Amino acid sequence: EESIVFKTFDYLDTLSPDKIQGLVYELNETKKRYFDLYNLAPIGYCTLNEKGLIEEANLRVADLLGIDQKKLTKKPFSHFIHKDYQDVYYRFTQKLLESHTNTECELQLLQHNKKAFWAQLSASYETNNNKVELRLLLDDITDKKHKNAQFAYERSLFKSLFQAIPDLVFAKDMDGIYLSCNPRFEEFFGAKEADIVGKTDYDFVEKPIADVYILNDKKVMQSGQININEEKISFANDGHEEILQTTKVPIYDERGKMIGVLGVGRDIGS
């Protein structure tokens, strides 16, 4: 290392004052770009020492934690962990210190005013001048958590309605493979939902009948419109027959791409 330093000084001695001034300017510009990239990044960057004390943090971390950036230095990062997630954070840091492999976790952090928010921590283990550094990436995932909770609630609500409806209800993907069905539909096929999912009409009814079902599915997929038809069916569980009005509609994902067909069959013969 000393030889490198001496060679650097020897090199500088060969440069003109204007050239040195140019190098200093370039160095300052590089530092400025680093400041912009690090300090003004939309994601939080934070460096901890081996004891878990904050050595450096960018403006995003200070903003998320609701505290002045300068006041973060030498504070224990655990100070900002919600009490219910202290164990999660402890296991997270221990795994990082013991395995030296990149680690992630989700937990709740506390702002300076004690307001909690959800965060994802991603960390790497580094050494700098023989000193251990834990480098954290901190991302606010509160909105994501709330959306996931809302989605789980809506899914549970839909599933409850799906199961309780007295009509035959089913969903298929674009290949005609069953994705789900309700108890009333189970009676029609004479099988449990777990045994129906992943299979097609051809596994439960005769080919000419299955062909008609598939044809009506394709009408919906090709047109993107509702298809309504009447059909007489025989229940596999007890052999009784019903005349159904079956309504089929396209299913779309959150990007607007069609992913299958939802069907509802209502008894109109009784």
Side-chain angles (χ1 to χ4, degrees), residues 14 20 23 40 48 65 71 82 108 117 122 128 144 181:
T14 65
I20 293 175
L23 290 174
L40 304 180
L48 312 182
L65 298 179
K71 293 182 179 179
H82 190 285
Q108 283 193 333
F117 68 96
S122 304
N128 186 15
K144 176 184 173 183
C181 69

Side-chain angles (χ1 to χ4, degrees), residues 124-139:
S124 63
Y125 178 97
E126 307 289 344
T127 55
N128 186 15
N129 292 326
N130 295 322
K131 293 183 179 180
V132 172
E133 291 184 344
L134 308 182
R135 296 179 183 174
L136 304 185
L137 270 66
L138 174 60
D139 194 15

Side-chain angles (χ1 to χ4, degrees), residues 72-127:
L72 285 171
T73 305
K74 299 305 179 182
K75 278 191 176 294
F77 191 79
S78 59
H79 176 76
F80 300 99
I81 307 294
H82 190 285
K83 62 182 178 62
D84 293 342
Y85 293 87
Q86 288 288 342
D87 286 347
V88 174
Y89 178 68
Y90 175 78
R91 291 193 297 270
F92 169 78
T93 53
Q94 286 302 113
K95 180 180 178 181
L96 188 61
L97 290 169
E98 292 171 3
S99 67
H100 299 180
T101 58
N102 293 356
T103 308
E104 292 185 354
C105 75
E106 293 181 359
L107 43 67
Q108 283 193 333
L109 295 178
L110 292 173
Q111 293 182 330
H112 192 58
N113 61 6
K114 302 304 179 183
K115 181 181 178 181
F117 68 96
W118 277 100
Q120 181 179 52
L121 298 183
S122 304
S124 63
Y125 178 97
E126 307 289 344
T127 55

Side-chain angles (χ1 to χ4, degrees), residues 38-215:
Y38 176 81
N39 222 25
L40 304 180
I43 193 168
Y45 291 104
C46 184
T47 302
L48 312 182
N49 63 23
E50 192 172 8
K51 295 180 180 179
L53 303 180
I54 299 172
E55 295 288 348
E56 186 180 28
N58 69 350
L59 286 172
R60 179 58 176 161
V61 172
D63 180 57
L64 287 172
L65 298 179
I67 187 171
D68 185 88
Q69 186 181 18
K70 293 179 181 178
K71 293 182 179 179
L72 285 171
T73 305
K74 299 305 179 182
K75 278 191 176 294
F77 191 79
S78 59
H79 176 76
F80 300 99
I81 307 294
H82 190 285
K83 62 182 178 62
D84 293 342
Y85 293 87
Q86 288 288 342
D87 286 347
V88 174
Y89 178 68
Y90 175 78
R91 291 193 297 270
F92 169 78
T93 53
Q94 286 302 113
K95 180 180 178 181
L96 188 61
L97 290 169
E98 292 171 3
S99 67
H100 299 180
T101 58
N102 293 356
T103 308
E104 292 185 354
C105 75
E106 293 181 359
L107 43 67
Q108 283 193 333
L109 295 178
L110 292 173
Q111 293 182 330
H112 192 58
N113 61 6
K114 302 304 179 183
K115 181 181 178 181
F117 68 96
W118 277 100
Q120 181 179 52
L121 298 183
S122 304
S124 63
Y125 178 97
E126 307 289 344
T127 55
N128 186 15
N129 292 326
N130 295 322
K131 293 183 179 180
V132 172
E133 291 184 344
L134 308 182
R135 296 179 183 174
L136 304 185
L137 270 66
L138 174 60
D139 194 15
D140 184 350
I141 58 170
T142 304
D143 287 345
K144 176 184 173 183
K145 280 287 186 179
H146 288 166
K147 287 177 182 177
N148 287 346
Q150 181 65 23
F151 176 76
Y153 168 75
E154 291 174 357
R155 182 182 178 87
S156 176
L157 180 62
F158 175 77
K159 188 69 174 177
S160 297
L161 292 172
F162 196 78
Q163 296 296 322
I165 252 176
D167 300 328
L168 287 78
V169 186
F170 59 89
K172 302 178 187 177
D173 68 12
M174 298 295 286
D175 296 316
I177 297 173
Y178 279 93
L179 301 171
S180 185
C181 69
N182 71 344
R184 185 84 168 108
F185 193 88
E186 291 178 338
E187 295 175 4
F188 170 42
F189 272 0
K192 292 296 183 182
E193 181 185 25
D195 297 318
I196 296 172
V197 170
K199 296 179 182 176
T200 71
D201 293 305
Y202 294 103
D203 294 302
F204 299 97
V205 298
E206 295 179 358
K207 185 178 183 302
I209 298 174
D211 286 342
V212 174
Y213 295 164
I214 296 300
L215 178 62

